[in-house]
Amino acid sequence: MALIIQKFGGTSVGTPDKIRNAASRIIQAVNEGNQVAAVVSAMGKTTDDLVRLAGEITARPSKREMDMLLTTGEQITISLLAMALQDAGYEAESLTGWQAGVETEDVHGNARILNIDTKRIQQMLADGKIAVVAGFQGLTSSDNIATLGRGGSDTTAVALAAALRAEKCEIYTDVTGVFTTDPRVVKHARKLPSISYDEMLEMANLGAGVLHPRAVEFAKNFGVRLEVRSSTEKENGTLVEEEATMENNLVVRGLAFEGNVTKITIEDLPNGLNTLSSVFSLLAENGVNVDIIIQSVNKQERTNISFSIETAILDETIELLERYKSSLQFGSIQHEDGLAKVSIVGSGMISNPGVAAQMFKALSDQDIMIKMVSTSEIKVSTVVDQQDMIKAIETLHDVFELDARQPVQQL
Ligand code: ASP
Ligand code: MG
């Protein structure tokens, strides 16, 4: 008998009908002879609504009470889903994070899972019951309820799959799988039959919202087989696994993009040994999330440093730097907003030189100016004008033949 973890995201449990639909997915797996533990998110936009509600009480809610509030969302779903399963004649029981044995770091808002004590779930499964577990929550060592960060139910599901050594972790969502790029933007974006952990991690970190990056990291570290699939369509989804076997010949597997990027340039800094570390330590200590960094190395006494950030934190970043202007000893700060990041991802790049060059050429052939570049073994990111973003994505999707191939046979 195989054990399967099935995770249902907010849109897949957004209404009573959808909750019944999720129940029928679980029942189907049970009827096929599997044991099932389900992990669920809060219904629809419940978490956003709760965040808004807190905002009507105070502009600065404490993180502890925020976690207490937000975890009620998942608690609604687990009870309703367990009721739906019972109504269909199946034995099921709902469990909050702490009842399920999810132990987290002693922090609020973004806690990591440290351990899952699976005794209770294992007993339930042995008794022939379906376990319905609240995602996104756990208990700290000081007996407080903590959340795992927005989108964290994916992580609960994968962690549970690892702890229970489940055969597979199925992530049910409102899309049919992982696509070459966002199908709302590129009409011919194609669903991938499989993608490797590393590629998925890059895509998730680059903002492809289908899976929480930490969940992918967890799945990679513990070798959890993941499948992203639709809760309403029957078709197979996308397998996330060690090596994406079906299309190894694909150099680029997907494209990710995000708008609202700003480039900041600090001009006329001392060209000393400590300059980079002083600037970026200051930014890090103040929680400024820096993405791409450019510094030209030269022998002059003064230098410039550029980096990119989300436009949303532009004002606070400039304010912070200005406050430390005399200790950092720089001349001035320039910024350029209205930018976007467009990235190509694929593990085939490791063994194929010239992929970046091909990307740059494709963009320059379209008169798209590249403002910044960063690379990893399996990714090339470029920063371009936001008004060129869609054209850049469409061009690259074409150039790297992401929609030209026939869909590969389903797994
Ligand atoms: N309900 C939480 C959120 O909206 C967790 C999740 O859905 O994964 O972020
Ligand atoms: Mg999600």
Side-chain angles (χ1 to χ4, degrees), residues 76-312:
I76 294 172
T77 322
I78 50 171
S79 51
L80 294 175
L81 180 54
M83 287 178 204
L85 290 163
Q86 291 164 359
D87 193 57
Y90 288 76
E91 275 202 87
E93 227 169 65
S94 61
L95 300 172
T96 62
W98 68 265
Q99 287 175 315
V102 180
E103 299 163 15
T104 72
E105 288 177 320
D106 206 359
V107 295
H108 289 290
N110 206 9
R112 287 173 182 271
I113 294 178
L114 297 179
N115 182 41
I116 301 183
D117 178 350
T118 56
K119 262 198 307 299
R120 182 160 178 178
I121 294 184
Q122 275 177 316
Q123 188 57 53
M124 281 177 61
L125 295 171
D127 293 343
K129 290 181 188 159
I130 299 161
V132 183
V133 178
F136 174 59
Q137 56 175 266
L139 196 69
T140 70
S141 53
S142 44
D143 281 353
N144 284 306
I145 292 175
T147 60
L148 310 181
R150 295 303 305 271
S153 293
D154 291 342
T155 309
T156 306
V158 175
L160 203 54
L164 290 167
R165 297 182 204 290
E167 171 95 7
K168 192 172 171 195
C169 182
E170 299 173 344
I171 307 279
Y172 286 91
T173 179
D174 56 349
V175 291
T176 53
V178 180
F179 282 71
T180 49
T181 193
D182 190 336
R184 286 169 302 188
V185 175
V186 178
K187 235 189 16 252
H188 303 296
R190 194 164 49 75
K191 189 177 74 179
L192 295 164
S194 69
I195 184 169
S196 73
Y197 292 121
D198 287 332
E199 291 168 332
M200 191 65 237
L201 197 55
E202 290 281 12
M203 295 284 277
N205 277 322
L206 288 167
V210 62
L211 276 177
H212 197 243
R214 206 183 277 172
V216 182
E217 214 173 79
F218 219 107
K220 175 180 160 70
N221 290 343
F222 292 90
V224 174
R225 283 180 69 225
L226 274 179
E227 183 181 0
V228 177
R229 57 186 302 169
S230 160
S231 54
T232 49
E233 315 287 326
K234 291 277 182 246
E235 64 191 88
N236 286 338
T238 300
L239 270 186
V240 188
E241 56 193 353
E242 189 50 49
E243 263 318 310
T245 42
M246 305 302 289
E247 293 183 69
N248 270 338
N249 53 338
L250 266 193
V251 175
V252 174
R253 201 172 305 266
L255 302 178
F257 55 91
E258 61 190 14
N260 300 316
V261 172
T262 292
K263 174 181 173 184
I264 293 187
T265 303
I266 311 177
E267 295 182 329
D268 194 19
L269 279 149
N271 195 2
L273 268 181
N274 298 326
T275 302
L276 271 177
S277 83
S278 323
V279 170
F280 291 103
S281 306
L282 174 71
L283 294 168
E285 281 158 16
N286 287 277
V288 175
N289 204 347
V290 170
D291 188 14
I292 301 176
I293 298 172
I294 293 179
Q295 191 206 9
S296 49
V297 180
N298 56 41
K299 290 212 171 76
Q300 280 139 22
E301 270 171 27
R302 311 294 290 177
T303 188
N304 294 345
I305 294 175
S306 299
F307 58 89
S308 67
I309 53 167
E310 256 184 273
T311 303

Side-chain angles (χ1 to χ4, degrees), residues 7 47 55 65 71 138-139 146 151 154 187 237 249 261 280 331-332 349 385 388 390 400:
K7 184 258 171 180
T47 312
E65 300 313 324
T71 49
L139 196 69
D154 291 342
K187 235 189 16 252
N249 53 338
V261 172
F280 291 103
S332 60
M349 279 180 217
D385 271 326
D388 291 333
I390 304 286
F400 290 106

Side-chain angles (χ1 to χ4, degrees), residues 53-62:
L53 193 57
E56 286 179 27
I57 299 288
T58 166
R60 294 181 167 273
S62 76

Side-chain angles (χ1 to χ4, degrees), residues 21-97:
N21 172 66
S24 69
R25 284 287 179 157
I26 297 171
I27 288 168
Q28 190 190 334
V30 169
N31 289 346
E32 285 165 7
N34 301 293
Q35 291 182 316
V36 179
V39 173
V40 294
S41 292
M43 293 172 68
K45 297 259 167 261
T46 302
T47 312
D48 292 332
D49 293 341
L50 291 171
V51 170
R52 216 169 299 124
L53 193 57
E56 286 179 27
I57 299 288
T58 166
R60 294 181 167 273
S62 76
K63 288 188 162 183
R64 181 187 185 279
E65 300 313 324
M66 224 32 215
D67 279 356
M68 188 63 90
L69 177 67
L70 296 191
T71 49
T72 61
E74 272 69 15
Q75 210 168 316
I76 294 172
T77 322
I78 50 171
S79 51
L80 294 175
L81 180 54
M83 287 178 204
L85 290 163
Q86 291 164 359
D87 193 57
Y90 288 76
E91 275 202 87
E93 227 169 65
S94 61
L95 300 172
T96 62

